[in-house]
Amino acid sequence: MSKAPLAPYPALRLRRLRQADWTRRLVRESVLTPSDFIWSMVVHEGEGRIPVPSMPGVERLSVAECAKAAKEARALGIPAIAVFPHIDAEKKDALGEQAADPDGVVCRAVKAMKDAAPEVGIMCDVALDPFTDHGHDGVIEGGRILNDATIERLVAQGLVQAEAGCDILAPSDMMDGRVAALRGALEGAGHQDVMIMSYAAKYASAFYGPYREAIGSGKLGTGSVDNPADKKTYQMDSANTEEALREVALDITEGADMVMVKPGMPYLDIVRRVVEAFAMPTFAFQVSGEYAMIMAAAGNGWLDEERAILESLGAFKRAGCAGVITYFAPRAARLLGA
Ligand code: PBG
């Protein structure tokens, strides 16, 4: 907010401060550094690295490659990695049982990354969708996603992640009451230092499209004859903003240490309101579709790729974010000179 009364033109010429790089740097209001990034990473159960076609430059990584990537994050000054699993289709079931497997690919990746680079924070998605054959984030009964039955599974999942050495649990399911349940379970199991970053205001969004390909969960969740449940029954309506404040308030009272808005760029108005209303460490997720849009336009020569990456990430800082979860993290850190 502008506090000073403005001198009239020509005493005030706003362009004076824009005339050289040094003046622009001197008066810059927000700064983007590698410390602002949480690197969004997909781990798979096989060997090596597998490109994700709809996300040029993003690959699914084996557990061993994740460990190397953790060292890379450390070298680049990226504070944390968020890990998302790609699970073989035959291991999925209606309840997402694999989500709570202590020997599953997420827990193995967490251990490998913490061994390789203990200084890098590891965040795990607490959600069932990579593990369910229907692609939903919850247990379904009669076409409805059951809230409380889902929470029980999320708690089991969160506990094995914490046991594996995960530093931050990030519930992305949007069930009511899951933050309190996770916090209680963590305290009860002696994991009082494990943090919770809640996907507090998470919207039902078309921008998650490429992620579904990346984790192999198909184009589900829109409500169809075969699969009547709809992600819109748990994720937020994109038209709403007052409701976002209620969601965030709820998660803070339940014990969230940090809150997140998702998707990112189309929801910066929500970020700003959350920052102003709660003054909590607030993050945004620059999701797969946002990544794909920039890369597709740049691939066609319609955008300057490097400038678009940094400008898009800088927008989150300008909006008041403490940091941003992004697939661009290593690339952007290098562009920033890391
Ligand atoms: C679901 C989850 C999703 C993403 C992260 N966790 C997809 C969804 O809610 O349908 C999307 C991430 C992205 O698009 O990059 N638990």
Side-chain angles (χ1 to χ4, degrees), residues 125 127 129 137 172 202 208 211-212 231 235 262 288 327:
D125 212 47
D129 61 315
D137 299 60
S172 72
K202 173 170 175 177
Y208 308 148
Y211 172 85
R212 308 255 164 82
K231 291 215 176 198
Q235 300 176 349
K262 180 186 176 190
S288 57
Y327 299 91

Side-chain angles (χ1 to χ4, degrees), residues 7-338:
Y9 168 86
L12 179 63
R13 289 179 187 267
L14 288 170
R15 288 184 53 196
R16 272 189 213 115
L17 293 177
R18 296 180 203 142
Q19 62 184 286
D21 181 58
W22 70 265
T23 52
R24 292 191 294 269
R25 280 193 288 128
L26 198 60
V27 301
R28 189 159 289 156
E29 296 173 32
S30 62
V31 183
L32 184 67
T33 76
S35 296
D36 296 316
F37 302 144
I38 297 177
W39 180 355
S40 183
M41 191 180 287
V42 180
V43 60
H44 71 112
E45 305 193 89
E47 297 301 314
R49 311 170 73 103
I50 301 175
V52 178
S54 56
M55 300 178 71
V58 170
E59 296 168 309
R60 293 180 200 138
L61 306 183
S62 66
V63 169
E65 291 295 324
C66 283
K68 283 190 212 158
K71 290 185 184 162
E72 189 183 346
R74 178 173 59 193
L76 291 170
I78 296 170
I81 292 172
V83 59
F84 300 90
H86 176 281
I87 303 296
D88 295 337
E90 62 273 14
K91 292 205 184 135
K92 300 188 185 194
D93 57 37
L95 297 175
E97 298 274 13
Q98 290 289 318
D101 180 0
D103 301 317
V105 72
V106 171
C107 291
R108 284 187 282 121
V110 169
K111 284 182 196 143
M113 289 192 281
K114 290 306 294 187
D115 278 351
E119 308 84 349
V120 175
I122 302 295
M123 174 159 121
C124 286
D125 212 47
V126 184
L128 302 180
D129 61 315
F131 305 93
T132 54
D133 51 15
H134 45 70
H136 276 292
D137 299 60
V139 177
I140 306 187
E141 202 178 88
R144 286 178 59 239
I145 309 290
L146 301 183
N147 194 88
D148 302 2
T150 299
I151 289 181
E152 278 177 37
R153 307 211 147 257
L154 295 173
V155 165
Q157 178 182 26
L159 285 176
V160 299
Q161 291 168 341
E163 210 55 55
C166 173
D167 302 292
I168 307 174
L169 297 188
S172 72
D173 54 291
M174 290 298 280
M175 297 301 124
D176 291 318
R178 88 281 206 218
V179 171
L182 283 169
R183 187 72 263 159
L186 288 170
E187 297 296 317
H191 293 299
Q192 68 275 3
D193 289 336
V194 172
M195 293 158 253
I196 296 179
M197 180 190 294
S198 72
Y199 287 68
K202 173 170 175 177
Y203 289 86
S205 174
F207 291 99
Y208 308 148
Y211 172 85
R212 308 255 164 82
E213 176 182 49
I215 68 155
S217 89
K219 291 189 177 5
L220 297 174
T222 47
S224 66
V225 179
D226 297 341
N227 186 9
D230 190 325
K231 291 215 176 198
K232 287 181 179 157
T233 65
Y234 43 103
Q235 300 176 349
M236 281 183 59
D237 184 335
S238 71
N240 294 355
T241 153
E242 300 300 333
E243 186 188 2
L245 299 185
R246 293 199 288 278
E247 280 286 2
V248 174
L250 187 67
D251 286 3
I252 294 170
T253 19
E254 288 183 24
D257 302 288
M258 299 170 270
V259 294
M260 191 207 299
V261 173
K262 180 186 176 190
M265 275 173 78
Y267 294 84
L268 288 180
D269 58 321
I270 308 297
V271 166
R272 188 71 209 166
R273 287 199 72 189
V274 168
V275 167
E276 282 173 0
F278 301 104
M280 286 283 287
T282 304
F283 292 77
F285 199 140
Q286 185 182 50
V287 300
S288 57
E290 300 174 59
Y291 179 94
M293 279 197 300
I294 292 174
M295 293 305 283
N300 278 297
W302 299 333
L303 280 182
D304 178 323
E305 187 171 304
E306 298 186 348
R307 285 184 57 201
I309 291 171
L310 292 182
E311 185 178 330
S312 70
L313 293 168
F316 293 102
K317 288 305 293 293
R318 189 192 62 235
C321 281
V324 48
I325 297 98
T326 176
Y327 299 91
F328 284 124
R331 177 92 189 276
R334 285 197 183 87
L335 291 175
L336 292 169

